[in-house]
Amino acid sequence: MSEEANRDASNLIPLCETHAWEIDQTPQHFTADMLREWKREQLAEYQTLQRSWTLTDAEVTEVFTVSFTKMLEERLLSGIYAAAESARQENRHQRQRSLIADMVHAANSWTDTLQILTLSTAGNRWRMSDIIEWANTDSGRAMASNMELIKTNARKLRFETRHPDLLAALDAAQTAVGNPEIFDPIWSGSASKAEARAVIYQHLNHVKRVFLDLEEIGIAVLADPPP
């Protein structure tokens, strides 16, 4: 067969990708007569459908134009919606990262201040007036501000995420920082005892560890998607 005859419409048969590949790879299973019969069946089906076709050429063009335009619009809108959702997701993650970073910074500052307070009460038992006076110092106000920031950001983060690992880490952090055994020795005056201070330091180190865990889990959960 010449190249011209090979490319002629009389030698053409439309096939799906799977069967076209199969015929090319195993021609011994598909004789010329078999393929000619397939083509006759295709043409017969086409002619039957054509006789029942009620649209004019102009109507066919209109249908095609409308369908193509609608498909294009849907794809464009789908791309816009996907981009918008991606941007919203990134904004949420950025807010969550900021909330966690501020909480970790506040927790570290809070524990550092409490360590200093524990040392300050080691020599002499504080009276209530001493505690009230200290609470009105810059250190006392900063410590209270840090605790309020931790509580506020924790509430916001719970509204922002439903990720179980992140919520579990947040629960652990809040439980640790709210442990009364950190404060009671100071307020009761027993922080002047070495054993009581050892308990306080142990709890403060635990607070730092759980907030570090919160930060590490936040980094893993809220990592930027791969480019």
Side-chain angles (χ1 to χ4, degrees), residues 107-108 110-111 114 150 172-173 175-179 182 200-213:
N108 286 331
W110 182 84
T111 53
L114 196 51
I150 292 171
T175 299
V177 81
N179 188 347
I182 300 176
I200 295 175
Y201 296 144
Q202 180 181 359
H203 286 306
L204 290 178
N205 288 333
H206 177 64
V207 169
K208 288 195 172 186
R209 284 197 302 272
V210 294
F211 273 89
L212 179 60
D213 290 342

Side-chain angles (χ1 to χ4, degrees), residues 35-91:
L35 298 179
R36 292 190 185 98
E37 180 61 27
W38 285 7
K39 184 171 183 177
R40 280 194 293 270
E41 291 175 357
Q42 285 183 347
L43 290 173
E45 182 179 6
Y46 164 74
Q47 290 168 357
T48 299
L49 293 173
Q50 189 181 45
R51 285 193 292 271
S52 62
W53 192 258
T54 58
L55 297 179
T56 65
D57 289 345
E59 290 171 332
V60 170
T61 301
E62 182 181 359
V63 169
F64 174 79
T65 302
V66 172
S67 300
F68 179 78
T69 302
K70 183 178 181 181
M71 179 184 67
L72 183 60
E73 289 175 350
E74 289 175 349
R75 289 188 177 183
L76 288 173
L77 289 175
S78 177
I80 292 172
Y81 292 150
E85 178 57 29
S86 178
R88 284 193 294 269
Q89 180 74 1
E90 174 53 30
N91 287 337

Side-chain angles (χ1 to χ4, degrees), residues 129-142:
S129 59
D130 296 323
I131 296 173
I132 294 174
E133 182 180 354
W134 179 85
N136 289 316
T137 64
D138 290 342
S139 295
R141 286 190 291 269

Side-chain angles (χ1 to χ4, degrees), residues 6-210:
N6 186 47
R7 296 179 178 277
D8 191 77
S10 63
N11 194 45
L12 170 68
I13 177 171
L15 294 169
C16 68
E17 182 178 358
T18 300
H19 284 95
W21 180 88
E22 186 176 358
I23 291 171
D24 288 339
Q25 295 300 313
T26 58
Q28 66 274 18
H29 296 154
F30 302 92
T31 64
D33 288 340
M34 180 188 296
L35 298 179
R36 292 190 185 98
E37 180 61 27
W38 285 7
K39 184 171 183 177
R40 280 194 293 270
E41 291 175 357
Q42 285 183 347
L43 290 173
E45 182 179 6
Y46 164 74
Q47 290 168 357
T48 299
L49 293 173
Q50 189 181 45
R51 285 193 292 271
S52 62
W53 192 258
T54 58
L55 297 179
T56 65
D57 289 345
E59 290 171 332
V60 170
T61 301
E62 182 181 359
V63 169
F64 174 79
T65 302
V66 172
S67 300
F68 179 78
T69 302
K70 183 178 181 181
M71 179 184 67
L72 183 60
E73 289 175 350
E74 289 175 349
R75 289 188 177 183
L76 288 173
L77 289 175
S78 177
I80 292 172
Y81 292 150
E85 178 57 29
S86 178
R88 284 193 294 269
Q89 180 74 1
E90 174 53 30
N91 287 337
R92 284 194 296 270
H93 282 185
Q94 182 58 47
R95 287 196 302 271
Q96 293 170 34
R97 287 192 290 263
S98 295
L99 289 172
I100 293 172
D102 290 344
M103 288 175 65
V104 172
H105 178 75
N108 286 331
S109 178
W110 182 84
T111 53
D112 289 343
T113 302
L114 196 51
Q115 284 178 339
I116 295 172
L117 178 59
T118 304
L119 289 172
S120 300
T121 59
N124 298 298
R125 179 172 179 171
W126 278 24
R127 297 166 299 179
M128 182 56 66
S129 59
D130 296 323
I131 296 173
I132 294 174
E133 182 180 354
W134 179 85
N136 289 316
T137 64
D138 290 342
S139 295
R141 286 190 291 269
M143 186 175 172
S145 176
N146 284 325
M147 177 57 71
E148 184 60 31
L149 187 148
I150 292 171
K151 292 179 179 179
T152 300
N153 281 20
R155 288 194 298 268
K156 291 179 179 179
L157 188 59
R158 291 185 186 280
F159 282 112
E160 287 278 347
T161 184
R162 291 294 180 267
H163 197 285
D165 292 344
L166 198 52
L167 290 176
L170 181 60
D171 288 340
Q174 286 192 280
T175 299
V177 81
N179 188 347
E181 292 185 14
I182 300 176
F183 310 97
D184 288 350
I186 296 175
W187 307 149
S188 66
S190 59
S192 58
K193 300 178 181 179
E195 297 83 358
R197 291 198 303 277
V199 172
I200 295 175
Y201 296 144
Q202 180 181 359
H203 286 306
L204 290 178
N205 288 333
H206 177 64
V207 169
K208 288 195 172 186
R209 284 197 302 272
V210 294

